[in-house]
Amino acid sequence: MIVMKFGGTCVGNGERIASVGRITARVLEQTGSTPVVVVSAMNGVTDSLRRAASTAASGDRRTYRLIRGELEQRHEQAIAHCVTDPERARALGAETHTLLDWFEDLCQSIWTLGELTPRGLDAVLGLGERLSTRLTAAAMIDQGSKAEAVEATEVIVTDGNFGNAGPLMDKTRARARARLLPLLEAGVVPVVTGFIGATADGVSTTLGRGSSDYSATIIGHCLSADEVWIWSDVDGVMTADPRIVPDARTLHTISYAEVAELSYFGASVLHPKTIQPVAQRSIPVRVLNAFHPERPGTLVCGEVSEDVLVKGITAIRDLTIVTVEGRGMQGVPGVAGRVFSAVGRSGVSVLMISQSSSEQSICFVVRSVDTPVVVDAIEREFEREMLRSDIDRIGSQDEVAIIAAVGAGMKGKPGIAARVFGALADQGISVISIAQGSSEYNLSLVVVHDDVDEGVRAIHRQFGLGRIQTQG
Ligand code: ADP
Ligand code: ASP
Ligand code: MG
């Protein structure tokens, strides 16, 4: 049995949704078993919902009403394209209308309160998937398949960490099996909402932006799927983001560990948590292009024996490098521990750490949105040391990015860092800081924003990752 996830561009309009139906029917025919389908909202819808909720909270009634109108029009157009039976099209139109009324009422309450809570935001954001699953299931039925839209609030049980909820796997396994297996046995394709879940009490949550991939692997784990297929708008996992590196190449295979590093460091083709549930059970993942379903895509699995140094280059933007400096830090045990305990208490995650050998400074990288909280936490922790001038300064530099080179083949091979630095130096790009991941699968470095795209291209070229070159 296969779990397949279709991303936002794969369900972006009626034509695309009809194509999802055809791909699903073909998979059923070829494998002889009914797949589970997980879908995202139509592309751009989740962003619109977010804008509706935040403008409502700031006293604007016009924007959410406009957005409601746009969503209604876009979904109606898609229904007209892919649901030919007039009665079914009318019923789906009415259901869409009711869901949008509910959305408008919710925005109205947010407007009245003048406040948007994380819980309220999650309720709003999940609407896109609730609409797209109904539409996709209706399109499949229109094509003569058996399908049913399923809300993941009935399947994925999460904690109450709104905006970034984590699945409670035991409860989810029981619910997923109870809700989905009977459908599969009856040959009905369950079309499940990606991105959302609910607490054990039934309150709607979301698993984080871009997390429909993760929804698919959670379900794959719970149903012991044979494979999970992620359908997107690229040919697979590539050596770099093709929007930045035009000659980026599709990888035939990549290991769980490598793809986890790539996605953690910015390769948006897979959500960073996607691999966790499947790696535990050695369930292979394929990344495929829904616009060209005949292409082979990328296979992600346990071990990949390939003699390449570097698999891919990625970048994360909108970061800040925070530096804690002071002569009084030298040889004082526990400073680093206290810095990271303070950051940890603030609930912020650190993307990269480095300490100079003189022990006079520790620097680490966080997302820029988190900087004020982090700096405040450290200042409070070291109030006394700062008064005594043991710590001189807590500095921060905004508008930096991390570039990461990832590949299991880098492990134990000398000279990689020198080649990376050389490639950047040739372009006149200076490196602010560098760190090597403990796995040795990853070399990360910090550069200023303006240098990031050129830096990625330079390293990509240096390791011969482009389409026509071979790796040296
Ligand atoms: P979906 O809506 O299908 O989940 P996403 O936009 O989340 O699609 O992810 C696919 C996009 O990820 C691609 O269009 C591509 O621009 C981007 N991307 C970034 N890095 C990579 C990479 N290394 N390989 C493939 N795609 C990448
Ligand atoms: N629709 C959600 C988002 O845009 C989830 C996803 O697309 O994976 O974040
Ligand atoms: Mg995605």
Side-chain angles (χ1 to χ4, degrees):
M1 192 270 296
I2 293 167
V3 176
M4 307 204 287
K5 174 259 172 175
F6 292 90
T9 47
C10 311
V11 292
N13 59 37
E15 213 175 303
R16 299 309 318 155
I17 292 174
S19 163
V20 165
R22 287 191 295 273
I23 292 174
T24 307
R26 209 170 314 132
V27 169
L28 204 161
E29 197 184 296
Q30 283 165 1
T31 61
S33 75
T34 309
V36 174
V37 167
V38 174
V39 295
S40 292
M42 288 173 131
N43 57 331
V45 167
T46 314
D47 288 335
S48 298
L49 295 169
R50 175 176 249 296
R51 196 155 49 85
S54 57
T55 52
S58 58
D60 168 3
R61 289 178 96 166
R62 203 168 150 263
T63 306
Y64 70 77
R65 288 177 172 163
L66 281 175
I67 289 174
R68 186 236 154 99
E70 284 162 16
L71 293 177
E72 188 134 28
Q73 198 187 10
R74 189 167 171 199
H75 285 81
E76 269 168 8
Q77 265 172 9
I79 295 172
H81 184 94
C82 59
V83 186
T84 52
D85 177 75
E87 189 45 41
R88 212 175 296 119
R90 200 200 51 73
L92 181 59
E95 209 178 334
T96 302
H97 191 83
T98 307
L99 281 168
L100 288 166
D101 278 348
W102 169 87
F103 158 72
E104 205 174 326
D105 287 348
L106 199 55
C107 288
Q108 160 88 28
S109 322
I110 293 167
W111 176 83
T112 308
L113 290 171
E115 188 194 12
L116 178 59
T117 60
R119 176 174 167 163
L121 180 61
D122 271 4
V124 174
L125 289 186
L127 180 72
E129 274 72 9
R130 297 174 65 202
L131 292 168
S132 65
T133 39
R134 284 166 168 82
L135 195 44
T136 308
M140 288 177 181
I141 293 168
D142 200 75
Q143 293 170 355
S145 305
K146 289 197 275 181
E148 182 178 319
V150 176
E151 299 216 354
T153 45
E154 296 178 65
V155 173
I156 298 182
V157 186
T158 71
D159 57 27
N161 186 13
F162 296 104
N164 192 23
L168 306 177
M169 288 309 268
D170 289 341
K171 290 199 170 85
T172 301
R173 192 174 303 112
R175 290 260 187 105
R177 300 185 82 84
R179 181 71 177 90
L180 302 176
L181 291 181
L183 291 175
L184 295 178
E185 274 153 26
V188 177
V189 177
V191 183
V192 188
T193 54
F195 181 48
I196 63 179
T199 63
D201 303 335
V203 181
S204 293
T205 54
T206 65
L207 310 179
R209 291 304 307 270
S211 60
S212 296
D213 308 321
Y214 186 34
S215 307
T217 54
I218 292 169
I219 294 172
H221 170 106
C222 292
L223 301 184
S224 303
D226 295 307
E227 294 196 359
V228 176
W229 295 2
I230 307 288
W231 293 91
S232 187
D233 59 358
V234 276
D235 283 348
V237 180
M238 304 180 75
T239 50
D241 186 340
R243 290 170 298 191
I244 297 171
V245 184
D247 73 336
R249 194 169 42 80
T250 307
L251 297 161
H252 295 298
T253 51
I254 187 165
S255 68
Y256 293 134
E258 290 169 319
V259 95
E261 295 275 349
L262 280 180
S263 57
Y264 184 74
F265 283 97
S268 51
V269 64
L270 291 179
H271 182 273
K273 291 184 187 161
T274 309
I275 292 308
Q276 270 170 29
V278 280
Q280 283 172 13
R281 298 206 160 184
S282 302
I283 298 171
V285 174
R286 281 178 207 278
V287 181
L288 297 155
N289 191 339
F291 293 75
H292 296 282
E294 71 291 351
R295 295 189 183 161
T298 302
L299 173 66
V300 186
C301 54
E303 285 299 313
V304 177
S305 54
E306 261 181 292
D307 193 22
V308 281
L309 287 176
V310 176
K311 278 277 173 63
I313 316 295
T314 54
I316 332 185
R317 293 166 176 73
D318 300 318
L319 306 178
T320 297
I321 184 158
V322 180
T323 314
V324 183
E325 276 173 7
R327 271 157 312 219
M329 284 169 63
Q330 204 160 0
V332 178
V335 174
R338 282 173 60 198
V339 168
F340 293 111
S341 302
V343 178
R345 279 196 300 276
S346 70
V348 168
S349 69
V350 171
L351 290 126
M352 186 182 133
I353 301 170
S354 78
Q355 178 167 30
S356 68
S357 55
S358 69
E359 291 186 30
Q360 287 189 12
S361 76
I362 294 174
C363 65
F364 59 92
V365 179
V366 293
R367 291 182 203 281
S368 298
V369 289
D370 295 328
T371 315
V373 180
V374 165
V375 171
D376 185 58
I378 300 176
E379 277 174 354
R380 267 186 285 127
E381 174 70 33
F382 291 102
E383 210 173 345
R384 232 171 335 130
E385 286 80 355
M386 288 179 79
L387 279 174
R388 288 202 307 254
S389 296
D390 284 346
I391 287 181
D392 305 322
R393 206 171 78 90
I394 295 164
S396 61
Q397 179 179 353
D398 288 337
E399 301 205 345
V400 300
I402 293 179
I403 298 179
V406 173
M410 287 159 60
K411 193 175 163 83
K413 302 272 186 351
I416 309 266
R419 286 178 68 181
V420 168
F421 278 107
L424 295 177
D426 287 347
Q427 303 301 315
I429 296 173
S430 58
V431 174
I432 302 171
S433 175
I434 178 163
Q436 179 155 39
S438 55
S439 64
E440 289 188 61
Y441 285 10
N442 174 350
L443 183 76
S444 329
L445 40 94
V446 181
V447 298
V448 297
H449 256 187
D450 286 349
D451 287 339
V452 64
D453 289 356
E454 199 43 61
V456 168
R457 287 191 283 266
I459 302 170
H460 195 263
R461 254 192 323 273
Q462 168 65 33
F463 289 96
L465 295 175
R467 244 173 272 149
I468 34 180
Q469 295 150 309
T470 47
Q471 190 159 2

